[in-house]
Amino acid sequence: MDEIFKNTEVAFALKSDTELERAYFLFRLIANEPLVRIGTAVTRFALKAHLPVEGLIRSTVFDHFCGGVNEEDCLKVVDKMYTKGVSSVLDFSVEGKETEEQFELALEMILKTVDFTKERLAIPFAVFKPTGLGRFYLFEKRSANENLSIPEQEEWDRVVVRFDTICKAAFIKNVPLLVDAEESWMQKAVDELILGMMQKYNVEKAIVYNTLQMYRSDRLEYLQKIKDLAVNEGFYLGIKLVRGAYMEKENERAIEKEYPSPICITKELTDKNYNEAVLFIIENLDTIALFMGTHNEKSCYFLMELMEQKGIRPEDTRIWFGQLYGMSDNISYNLAQKKYNVAKYLPFGPVKDVMPYLIRRAEENTSVVGQTNRELELIKAERKRRRLRNKM
């Protein structure tokens, strides 16, 4: 198969020279772990102290990794990407909320994005994060099968109602809905909630999608188990596959609590787990729809080859490729040029509220050195190509 992901002219066609230089600057910073740690600490302090730094953040890291401060603000980015066949998933990326009022506001925003998605071909999915609708502690306690107090049970019942309200709205409006993954020690409660929503709303096709983090050694077995359940009960599965976002936190907690880490012991095992899940889904495509969230070129080629072998057309709506906005444009835009279904996660929200997401993204990129180096390598190649072009 042709190595299409090396084509930087396609990858960065929408980026001006100024935007390309900003990307180069940002990824050089991210590649420097000490700078990232200092920068995130300073940013946290500046925001807490109400220093006037939001303008600087907006013009640099925010505009590179986020679509805007609200959904209307994102439309310029959404429409621009769609000219190249790349769709968007609007992700209200406000994290770390703890009050019922905040959860109700998040519910309203998510329902608004479902409506927004219904109206636009360029936005094929809605998305939400479970802990945006309820306290982390509550999910953790449910996952550990601990008894809830009466007030906690009432609180949990409200979480369930929020989940159902969103999933019902997505079902009525025929909007596929991605539900993000959480840490392993509270994911069990999320899995149970989402499975119930799939049984209720995925009756004709996949509407509700669960996210499986394949760096967890138990996720392939879980996928096989719920596939059998779906076949027996006659409903469809929607599965978003990612490698995982909380590796350091997972391993540290396992050491602290003295239990075996749920994370695969090597990256090679994670990659194997991931690709085996992709294969399993493609072999069961009549039951499972796939959103493959990855920045790994080998996994993308693997899925492309599987689709070719099995005669599955690139535009088959049961299969989507997904990447984060601001990263892996070489994958997204080159896949779109070949007519594959591609969507970028497009975070949005008030600058101050989205900063926890941006800080987490910077820290994750720092820990995945290969990804950051790959971004820099591609940007350098495109800068060189443009310089040569301009000399002609």
Side-chain angles (χ1 to χ4, degrees):
M1 180 168 284
D2 294 339
E3 294 188 3
I4 62 171
F5 301 141
K6 292 182 178 180
N7 189 328
T8 61
E9 183 176 6
V10 170
F12 299 115
L14 294 180
K15 275 191 168 32
S16 66
D17 290 346
T18 300
E19 290 169 332
L20 192 69
E21 291 304 314
R22 182 183 64 187
Y24 179 63
F25 169 76
L26 285 173
F27 280 108
R28 281 193 67 186
L29 285 180
I30 291 170
N32 189 317
E33 185 174 352
L35 273 181
V36 169
R37 295 193 184 282
I38 293 168
T40 54
V42 169
T43 301
R44 286 189 179 104
F45 170 79
L47 290 171
K48 283 182 180 179
H50 303 290
L51 298 178
V53 296
E54 289 192 18
L56 176 62
I57 293 169
R58 176 77 202 254
S59 64
T60 53
V61 64
F62 184 92
D63 279 351
H64 183 83
F65 289 111
C66 298
V69 296
N70 55 48
E71 65 275 21
E72 294 287 347
D73 198 23
C74 292
L75 282 181
K76 184 177 178 181
V77 176
V78 169
D79 293 340
K80 186 177 179 181
M81 290 198 295
Y82 201 57
T83 64
K84 299 296 183 181
V86 174
S87 299
S88 300
V89 180
L90 294 188
D91 182 12
F92 184 56
S93 297
V94 174
E95 301 182 359
K97 302 304 182 184
E98 285 288 323
T99 70
E100 290 293 294
E101 181 183 7
Q102 290 168 332
F103 298 142
E104 287 297 316
L105 287 173
L107 171 63
E108 290 177 19
M109 179 56 71
I110 295 161
L111 290 172
K112 194 174 179 181
T113 61
V114 171
D115 289 339
F116 211 69
T117 300
K118 173 64 178 174
E119 297 168 2
R120 290 167 176 81
L121 286 174
I123 310 174
F125 293 87
V127 64
F128 73 91
K129 188 173 175 64
T131 47
L133 302 179
R135 286 190 298 143
F136 192 104
Y137 169 76
L138 208 59
F139 282 96
E140 183 178 2
K141 197 167 181 179
R142 285 280 305 186
S143 296
N145 296 320
E146 296 179 15
N147 292 328
L148 302 182
S149 66
I150 292 175
E152 286 173 341
Q153 184 60 54
E154 292 173 348
E155 186 180 350
W156 178 253
D157 290 342
R158 291 193 291 273
V159 173
V160 175
V161 168
R162 291 180 192 120
F163 260 77
D164 188 70
T165 300
I166 294 168
C167 292
K168 184 178 181 179
F171 173 75
I172 291 171
K173 299 178 191 311
N174 194 29
V175 171
L177 179 67
L178 303 168
V179 186
D180 285 343
E182 303 279 1
E183 288 88 339
S184 64
W185 57 94
M186 52 83 58
Q187 183 66 36
K188 183 173 180 287
V190 175
D191 288 342
E192 290 172 355
L193 263 177
I194 298 173
L195 187 59
M197 299 299 155
M198 286 185 185
Q199 290 168 315
K200 189 173 182 179
Y201 295 114
N202 289 10
V203 290
E204 295 179 357
K205 63 177 183 178
I207 289 290
V208 181
Y209 285 65
N210 197 3
T211 299
L212 303 187
Q213 300 186 97
M214 299 311 297
Y215 67 1
R216 282 182 54 177
S217 55
D218 64 341
R219 294 286 83 182
L220 182 58
E221 181 181 356
Y222 176 74
L223 173 60
Q224 294 164 341
K225 176 183 173 183
I226 60 173
K227 190 276 293 186
D228 290 341
L229 182 67
V231 170
N232 291 335
E233 295 190 5
F235 66 95
Y236 293 86
L237 296 179
I239 298 295
K240 176 187 166 190
L241 291 180
V242 299
R243 275 172 169 76
Y246 308 104
M247 185 170 67
E248 292 179 1
K249 191 187 293 185
E250 292 278 2
N251 287 330
E252 287 171 3
R253 187 177 190 272
I255 292 169
E256 179 188 341
K257 302 286 185 180
E258 298 182 337
Y259 62 81
S261 173
I263 306 301
C264 294
I265 58 174
T266 65
K267 183 182 182 302
E268 288 73 24
L269 283 175
T270 294
D271 292 340
K272 181 175 181 289
N273 213 30
Y274 191 96
N275 287 347
E276 285 183 0
V278 171
L279 176 60
F280 181 81
I281 292 173
I282 296 303
E283 289 178 338
N284 293 278
L285 200 56
D286 290 339
T287 302
I288 313 174
L290 170 65
F291 187 100
M292 191 174 85
T294 186
H295 294 242
N296 186 290
E297 295 176 14
K298 290 181 180 178
S299 288
C300 291
Y301 284 130
F302 179 67
L303 177 53
M304 293 162 68
E305 288 169 359
L306 280 177
M307 292 174 70
E308 186 175 334
Q309 289 167 13
K310 296 184 178 294
I312 301 169
R313 296 178 61 82
E315 59 269 26
D316 191 312
T317 55
R318 295 171 296 178
I319 301 173
W320 282 79
F321 295 79
Q323 290 79 44
L324 296 169
Y325 182 66
M327 296 173 61
S328 296
D329 288 345
N330 65 309
I331 294 177
S332 306
Y333 289 95
N334 281 295
L335 281 172
Q337 190 184 58
K338 299 294 184 182
K339 307 303 181 185
Y340 290 93
N341 298 313
V342 186
K344 287 279 202 185
Y345 255 57
L346 191 60
F348 74 95
V351 175
K352 184 176 180 179
D353 290 338
V354 173
M355 279 314 299
Y357 165 85
L358 290 173
I359 288 170
R360 180 163 61 83
R361 180 64 54 220
E363 290 172 344
E364 286 170 10
N365 278 317
T366 302
S367 65
V368 185
V369 176
Q371 176 64 40
T372 302
N373 288 343
R374 180 61 170 152
E375 296 285 351
L376 281 169
E377 174 188 316
L378 291 161
I379 293 168
K380 288 175 183 176
E382 177 61 9
R383 292 166 84 220
K384 181 178 180 181
R385 188 195 68 80
R386 293 187 185 189
R387 282 197 298 268
L388 291 173
R389 178 200 62 190
N390 292 338
K391 288 180 179 178
M392 292 180 181

